[in-house]
Amino acid sequence: MRRRHVAAGMMAAVVAATTVLGGCSGKKADTGSTAAGEKQTAGTEQAAGTEAAGDADKSSWISEEPVEITVMMKDNPSQPLKVDAPMREEIFKKTNIKLNVQIVPNSSYEEKKNIVLGTNNFPDIIFIPNMADVVTYGNSGVFEPLTQYLNEEDMPNLYKFWQEYPEMKKYLLGDELYVFPVVAREETANGFGPVIRQDLLEANNLETPKTFDELLDVLIKFKELYPDSIPWTGRKGTPNLFKTTSYMLGSGYGDNGLYYDFDEEKFVFGPASTNFKAVLDYLNRAYEAGVLDPEFATTTAEQMESKLSSGKSLFYLDNSGFGQNYTKMLRKVEGQENATFQVLPIPENSFGQRRATAYATELPGRFYALNAGSKHKEEIIKLMDWLYSKEGSDITNYGVEGVSFEYDEKGEPQFKEDYVMKFKDAQPSDYYAIYTDLGITKLDFCMWACNTKTWFEIQQMDGNWDEVADEYWKIIEEDDAYVQPHIFPTLSEEESEKVKDILVDVNTMLEQEYNKYIMGQEEIDNWDNVIKRCEDMGIRELEDIYNQAEARVNAQ
């Protein structure tokens, strides 16, 4: 199993390639619209002039007769999806399979998904955000079992990845696979990291903090120097504050509090570990010093962006890639022309550890399931496998050959400069605008999916890559504190029900406790009583369930 994998070694190759050629938030646009206004219609207009499927090269056709299949997908505020994206038209041209995409708003996807799965009334293909739905519905017969196709004859491209990534076996429910997992293509890892106003460190002769205590001292100094500031802000409330900080501070807080501890090599329920007291202590000290945002429990992503991009806040610990966009926005503010947000190497915590979790560079945890009742299962199996091929991946990551990309002498896709430059000033970013316009990459219907690879190539080409980006990725590449996220094993239905029962009671109790300790209303040592209550509610049994499931999968 690969633990430490920053996956930035190929950065030099990406930068070199893009040189020869030449994070992530935003407001939701209307479905079917583009993210950069009129400028973004270029790809759609040009793609409309491409050949109809009937006139295309038929070498990769899956069916002689046109076949229409329906796909239910979740929209994304950073990259709004489009029904008529050029990528979908190109898939039709190449395969004779027409995609009828049902786009569900991000805010209502969970509810919609549960209704259609619960009533067995869902499209041919449905996006599955996590493996919990496989546990819930896998044995009910609504999803097509895929293991029967997982061989060199039926799905050679997916079979290749199945052999390359042994951890995919954690996607099995018993001995059966019910989902098509998305595989990352040449991904470079970043993750949660501490991002600070580097220009203010330099202007005030403050040394780069190497420990979390030194970081707190710097933030306290910022508050003294800039009394109207909120030095440290965040988003999405207390759970996200724990999710982004706890592992670095020596404990952890994954989904519902459970996480995999690489030092202990086992699953741990973070809030029920004694190390979690160090997390609470650090946040409490930051809060009482006036450093942590007093509205930490309610601040939204939009409010976080506003505070950081206006100069009101000077530090955050979250997706460190956001800092590059915040820098660009902040430098447009009068008097902030030299402002710079930059990620710090992961500081040492109070236990003498330097540790952080990167985003997945191999298996990003996105899935699609095939309706067992579909009338077009044979064609869909072939289509999905084609999407794992290089041809399918090139189209679903670069769009339309001759319109948005061309092949170089090595047979690798390269974006066309005249197309890319139309999006140079698009919001929320040039690359997300292009992704939306073409209907490409990880957040769209893409199985061997790019994210950072195409992002880097676009920004190198249009001039939006700068010295801040160079320094950022160099810092990330050289920091060995990052580990790849650990894939959770799939539980049995009985195990899953037991875990749900335990977590409902435990997390309901904990939600009433967290802020008391951060805000100093309770002494940190009293958290031992909370740990005891967690244990009485069965939290050690929950940890055992996951660790036994992990051992079971590893023994296969």
Side-chain angles (χ1 to χ4, degrees), residues 170 260 267 486-487 489 545-554:
K170 292 184 179 179
Y260 187 83
F267 287 99
H486 191 84
I487 298 175
I545 288 172
Y546 271 95
N547 286 313
Q548 290 168 11
E550 176 82 359
R552 183 172 65 233
V553 171
N554 290 338

Side-chain angles (χ1 to χ4, degrees), residues 310-323:
S310 67
K312 182 71 173 178
S313 291
L314 314 174
F315 171 85
Y316 74 93
L317 205 165
D318 202 306
N319 183 334
S320 56
F322 290 169

Side-chain angles (χ1 to χ4, degrees), residues 4 6 189-196 208-215 244-250 263 282 315-321 342-350 352-359 472 474-483:
R4 300 187 178 273
V6 176
N190 62 343
F192 297 144
V195 180
I196 200 165
T208 300
K210 293 182 173 57
T211 68
F212 273 98
D213 282 340
E214 290 177 2
L215 173 60
T244 56
T245 62
S246 295
Y247 191 76
M248 293 181 201
L249 291 171
D263 293 306
Y282 191 82
F315 171 85
Y316 74 93
L317 205 165
D318 202 306
N319 183 334
S320 56
Q342 190 54 272
V343 65
L344 297 169
I346 302 300
E348 184 179 290
N349 63 31
S350 61
Q353 303 165 317
R354 293 182 60 256
R355 61 189 213 166
T357 304
Y359 296 137
Y472 171 82
K474 185 174 186 292
I475 292 170
I476 295 291
E477 180 181 9
E478 294 177 351
D479 196 339
D480 62 2
Y482 292 92
V483 294

